[in-house]
Amino acid sequence: MSPLRRRQMLLALVTVATIGATALVAAAGQKEPPNQLEWVASWAAAMAPAGAGKSTQGFANQTIRQFVHTSVGGEKLRIRLSNRFGKQPITIAQATVALPFGTTGGGTGTGGPGDLKPGSIKDVMFFGQRTLTIPAGGNAVSDPIDMAVPASHDIAVSLYFEQATGPATWHLAARETAYFGEGNHVVSPSGAKLPETRTSWFFLSGLDVLNRNGKGAVAILGDSIADGFKTTINADKRWSDLLAERLNREAPGGLAPGVVNLGMVGNRLGRDGSDMGLAELGVNASARFHSDVVAQTGVRKVIVLLGINDIWISKDQPDRIIAQLQQLAALAHQAGLQIYACTITPWNAFVSGEEVKYTPELDSVRLSVNSYLRTSMDFDGVIDLDSVMRNPAEPTKLRPEYNSGDHIHPNDAGNQAMADAVPLEMVL
């Protein structure tokens, strides 16, 4: 018998044996073993250099209490902190996590602004220590915290900075209220001594959970439309939140992936915000791809919604935008990730600074890029948001029911339509 024939016969016998064993397990009514416990990103934010207001001042002898909205839940959590754009080391003197005590974000009760659910406050430790110093340019992750984390629910993170931080690494447009005030109040359930507010996140870059879903995480890389700009503050109506809710409802067995939003106001494919003197708009998508996407815990897939700012701000031509999108596809595949691109949504009548920015000539660039995306084999798939969001009577404009008022950013209903437009087979 030839070696090849012998190999074929052995392979056939192994296959029959495997099928037979599987049948016996099924006949015995035994279930497949559960997925292993794995860490996965449940929430994240893209970070940028200081550039306005409180970000340039930083914090000294102050507590800041921030709320983030989970996508998937788990039996433990850990937080991730960033001093990526800091000019000096920062020291977290003490930190806690807790559940909110209010009616938004999945919370219950009649608590006031910034209040925490009594009895839910947990200390955050870093290798067993309460205090942590993060060097300039550095990042940190906490020890695991024994805390049941609900899906699609707010989690409060309180940080106390005894020493001056200097300019903060932050996310400008959080659409979520952060509370801060003088002194150390991280273990206080009341937010009464945290009277100042901003709708930004500072230093807090991620929250991971430990669960058995086995689905990893989906990262959304994009601009202000991806970021949920113009959605209702503190209502968690970003399309990433709504997509996560949909997946938690519709995923087989409830085993949904994490969904993390890495959108950023004003973000572009090829140019930094500092090019316009607006550092808070972050670095270009290519430069932040590995730090913001590949570095996410358990990430397996990425959705890209970018290009409109390259059109109306940078006046880039289609070839340049397409080449930069192709590079993102190449970076994702090199990292072993599946990548899906969104077509660019309508923007006719968009006004910025009391000036109409839309022109038919610029819109022809959008149409050319969309034509490329619909026919390209560079991505693993395309989500045609343009066809979902455009007004059938005036295709260069948003549907009136999805228009937030500025003719470019979708409202809550528009973000829901975007979340509903994602084919489940792409993300599950």
Side-chain angles (χ1 to χ4, degrees):
M1 180 183 297
S2 70
L4 177 59
R5 178 60 179 161
R6 178 181 177 83
R7 183 181 177 189
Q8 289 172 336
M9 290 184 65
L10 287 173
L11 180 60
L13 289 170
V14 170
T15 302
V16 169
T18 302
I19 293 173
T22 302
L24 287 172
V25 170
Q30 297 180 17
K31 295 181 180 179
E32 299 227 351
N35 292 322
Q36 292 184 345
L37 281 168
E38 294 179 340
W39 286 103
V40 62
S42 182
W43 171 88
M47 308 306 280
K54 187 62 180 174
S55 72
T56 60
Q57 301 163 14
F59 300 85
N61 186 31
Q62 288 178 302
T63 296
I64 178 168
R65 180 166 293 168
Q66 305 172 84
F67 293 82
V68 302
H69 197 67
T70 64
S71 54
V72 290
E75 57 189 69
K76 293 186 180 184
L77 70 84
R78 64 189 184 192
I79 64 170
R80 289 180 278 125
L81 302 169
S82 177
N83 192 27
R84 177 183 173 189
F85 299 104
K87 304 300 182 184
Q88 65 184 57
I90 60 168
T91 298
I92 293 90
Q94 191 176 0
T96 61
V97 295
L99 297 175
F101 189 53
T103 57
T104 62
T108 58
T110 56
D115 283 1
L116 307 177
K117 182 179 179 180
S120 72
I121 301 172
K122 302 276 189 177
D123 284 325
V124 177
M125 310 295 280
F126 304 91
F127 280 91
Q129 305 297 315
R130 285 188 175 181
T131 300
L132 173 72
T133 297
I134 307 175
N139 298 282
V141 61
S142 76
D143 297 347
I145 302 161
D146 289 320
M147 178 178 179
V149 182
S152 297
H153 197 290
D154 277 5
I155 299 292
V157 179
S158 301
L159 305 173
Y160 173 55
F161 298 95
E162 184 175 20
Q163 304 170 15
T165 64
T169 295
W170 71 322
H171 182 91
L172 170 63
R175 313 304 292 173
E176 196 89 34
T177 303
Y179 303 85
F180 58 95
E182 292 187 2
N184 184 353
H185 306 290
V186 299
V187 297
S188 173
S190 172
K193 294 186 178 180
L194 305 172
E196 298 184 65
T197 62
R198 297 290 188 276
T199 52
S200 301
W201 288 303
F202 301 87
F203 301 112
L204 183 61
S205 60
L207 185 149
D208 300 337
V209 298
L210 188 66
N211 66 30
R212 296 185 185 274
N213 288 11
K215 295 293 184 178
V218 179
I220 298 174
L221 178 69
D223 48 31
S224 56
I225 297 173
D227 204 12
F229 190 70
K230 289 287 189 177
T231 57
T232 302
I233 291 175
N234 296 331
D236 303 309
K237 296 298 184 181
R238 309 165 197 86
W239 72 298
S240 55
D241 299 323
L242 299 171
L243 175 60
E245 290 179 8
R246 180 185 169 209
L247 295 178
N248 285 325
R249 288 193 310 269
E250 301 181 23
L255 300 180
V259 179
V260 292
N261 192 325
L262 301 162
M264 184 179 291
V265 169
N267 202 228
R268 290 173 286 173
L269 286 158
R271 291 181 171 86
D272 298 347
S274 58
D275 291 355
M276 301 184 293
L278 298 171
E280 61 268 30
L281 303 187
V283 298
N284 67 79
S286 177
R288 68 188 184 94
F289 188 82
H290 278 86
S291 58
D292 285 1
V293 174
V294 178
Q296 293 302 322
T297 307
V299 65
R300 296 182 184 178
K301 303 182 181 186
V302 55
I303 298 173
V304 174
L305 175 52
L306 284 161
I308 190 62
N309 293 325
D310 300 84
I311 295 172
W312 80 267
I313 296 176
S314 305
K315 308 296 193 298
D316 285 344
Q317 292 301 303
D319 288 352
R320 181 184 177 96
I321 295 173
I322 290 169
Q324 290 164 340
L325 287 168
Q326 289 171 325
Q327 279 300 304
L328 291 183
L331 289 171
H333 290 145
Q334 183 185 47
L337 306 179
Q338 294 179 13
I339 182 168
Y340 302 93
C342 298
T343 52
I344 306 173
T345 51
W347 65 299
N348 191 347
F350 170 55
V351 175
S352 178
E354 300 183 356
E355 179 183 347
V356 177
K357 298 298 184 180
Y358 174 90
T359 69
E361 292 75 19
L362 287 176
D363 200 45
S364 68
V365 177
R366 179 181 72 92
L367 297 176
S368 295
V369 174
N370 282 350
S371 178
Y372 151 74
L373 289 173
R374 291 188 179 106
T375 58
S376 172
M377 300 297 290
D378 297 325
F379 294 86
D380 296 288
V382 175
I383 303 167
D384 198 349
L385 294 183
D386 172 43
S387 65
V388 173
M389 305 301 291
R390 68 189 179 211
N391 184 347
E394 297 180 273
T396 61
K397 292 185 177 181
L398 288 173
R399 285 178 175 267
E401 65 269 31
Y402 297 159
N403 184 6
S404 67
D406 67 1
H407 303 281
I408 192 170
H409 295 103
N411 57 16
D412 292 357
N415 275 262
Q416 183 69 68
M418 292 166 65
D420 291 342
V422 179
L424 290 181
E425 62 268 19
M426 287 187 179
V427 290
L428 290 180

